[in-house]
Amino acid sequence: MLFSPTNISECVREWDDLEKGYQQMQDTHRLYKQKLEEVTKLQNSCSAAIARQRKKLKELALSLKACKEDQESRLSPKEKDSIAEIEESIKDKTNAFFEMEAFLPKKNGLYLSLVLGNINVTLLNKQAKFAYKDEYEKFKLVLTVILFVFSFMCRFLFSYRVLDALFNFLLVWYYCTLTIRESILISNGSRIKGWWVFHHYVSTFLSGVMLTWPDGALYQMFRNQFLSYNLYQSFVQFLQYYYQSGCLYRLRALGERHNMDLTVEGFQSWMWRGLSFLLPFLFFGHFWQLYNSITLFKMFQLPECKEWQVLMCGCSYMVLFMGNLYTTLRVVYQKYMNNQDKSKLL
């Protein structure tokens, strides 16, 4: 219950208490700013030290390589062991630098600089990083369900170009948001690399082109196939989320995966268990992308085809098909070879 002064003396006493509290607050804030300046200096010092260490390690690695090539026949077994040990330590230190930099401010990449400017997006404690990562995963799950329902409604219940445009706009917004959030996660130590990052840029472009495709005979010709594909894709992403999140949970508990690793589209090396369950769904989706591309290329050859969107969508689906298929096959092959090597050792 709040204190309500009833006379002048109580008001004066309340004012004195407020003044004391205000002075304490000022002292606390002054200390906070002082510590913040100290933290900033430490951050700059750490960043500079890591840069110097990385440069020297790179020079040392080149020197060791040159020594091995020029003096390989003259090196004693002890010297060769020393070189191998140093090279292994250099790799370990490189990984350690990556872990350290995840907690230090860094310049944004080109994409984040264009979107957000020079604002610092590095989260400086583990709790904030994990909270942002978990919020990203929930965002993907909720939007996957929404896109599934939306595509089902457009495919089977309503056939209005306005609703189709809203669906495509939602896809553009979703993939754009994913690219921004993933760039922020990469700045905070998530190891999202290679094709699965580029995949969302291509998907953003494809959704934007579909959004601009005017209504007409060719659009209606491809509409149901496009909506059916998106319905299936949302279903597969829903399966992937629950399967991958379960795998990641087990591997993190065993200490075999990084805590900032994410569930992403496609097959990953750590998803080997349950392979026979998930891979058929993935491959079917990949070849559906090929089917979409072939359909659009055939439509582009029709005499009545005047829309540039037909060719652009066909090329986008072909890029998605080739990238997804190659990446999935490469990961499966690498994991298979690793298992074969482990079997030989046993």
Side-chain angles (χ1 to χ4, degrees), residues 123 126-142 181 185 190 241 245 248-249 252 258-263:
L123 304 171
K126 287 185 177 181
Q127 289 77 15
K129 290 177 186 290
F130 297 161
Y132 189 81
K133 177 189 69 67
D134 290 340
E135 198 276 332
Y136 163 85
E137 298 284 12
K138 290 174 184 176
F139 169 79
K140 279 177 57 180
L141 178 61
V142 170
R181 290 182 180 226
L185 284 164
S190 285
Y241 172 81
S245 60
L248 273 178
Y249 179 81
R252 284 174 188 146
H258 191 265
N259 282 323
M260 287 298 285
D261 282 353
L262 301 163
T263 61

Side-chain angles (χ1 to χ4, degrees), residues 164-228:
D164 292 357
L166 286 173
F167 175 69
N168 284 304
F169 178 79
L170 181 60
L171 283 174
V172 172
W173 175 79
Y174 171 61
Y175 285 119
C176 278
T177 305
L178 280 186
T179 58
I180 295 170
R181 290 182 180 226
E182 285 172 352
S183 297
I184 293 173
L185 284 164
I186 290 171
S187 295
N188 284 279
S190 285
R191 303 180 183 188
I192 319 170
K193 294 181 180 179
W195 165 250
W196 304 121
V197 177
F198 185 67
H199 176 275
H200 288 149
Y201 291 101
V202 178
S203 299
T204 303
F205 174 78
L206 172 61
S207 303
V209 173
M210 285 296 302
L211 178 62
T212 63
W213 192 344
D215 195 7
L218 289 176
Y219 175 81
Q220 292 299 328
M221 190 183 302
F222 185 65
R223 177 183 181 274
N224 286 344
Q225 183 174 326
F226 168 74
L227 291 171
S228 298

Side-chain angles (χ1 to χ4, degrees), residues 52-173:
R52 286 195 301 270
Q53 281 274 318
R54 183 172 276 131
K55 182 181 178 182
K56 290 180 179 179
L57 286 176
K58 186 177 180 181
E59 292 172 352
L60 178 60
L62 292 173
S63 299
L64 286 172
K65 185 179 179 181
C67 290
K68 284 173 65 178
E69 292 175 353
D70 297 339
Q71 306 174 23
E72 186 172 4
S73 58
R74 289 175 286 174
L75 291 174
S76 66
K78 186 177 180 180
E79 289 174 328
K80 290 180 179 178
D81 290 341
S82 297
I83 291 174
E85 186 177 338
I86 293 172
E87 288 177 335
E88 188 64 31
S89 297
I90 289 174
K91 291 180 182 178
D92 293 339
K93 283 183 172 58
T94 302
N95 293 331
F97 292 154
F98 178 82
E99 297 290 340
M100 292 177 188
E101 287 177 327
F103 293 91
L104 293 170
K106 59 178 72 68
K107 289 184 178 180
N108 294 335
L110 177 62
Y111 180 64
L112 276 183
S113 296
L114 291 173
V115 175
L116 301 177
N118 293 323
I119 185 172
N120 178 32
V121 296
T122 307
L123 304 171
L124 300 180
N125 62 74
K126 287 185 177 181
Q127 289 77 15
K129 290 177 186 290
F130 297 161
Y132 189 81
K133 177 189 69 67
D134 290 340
E135 198 276 332
Y136 163 85
E137 298 284 12
K138 290 174 184 176
F139 169 79
K140 279 177 57 180
L141 178 61
V142 170
L143 263 294
T144 297
V145 174
I146 292 173
L147 288 169
F148 179 86
V149 173
F150 209 147
S151 57
F152 180 87
M153 289 170 56
C154 291
R155 175 65 179 86
F156 297 108
L157 303 180
F158 307 104
S159 182
Y160 301 113
R161 185 65 181 89
V162 174
L163 281 179
D164 292 357
L166 286 173
F167 175 69
N168 284 304
F169 178 79
L170 181 60
L171 283 174
V172 172
W173 175 79

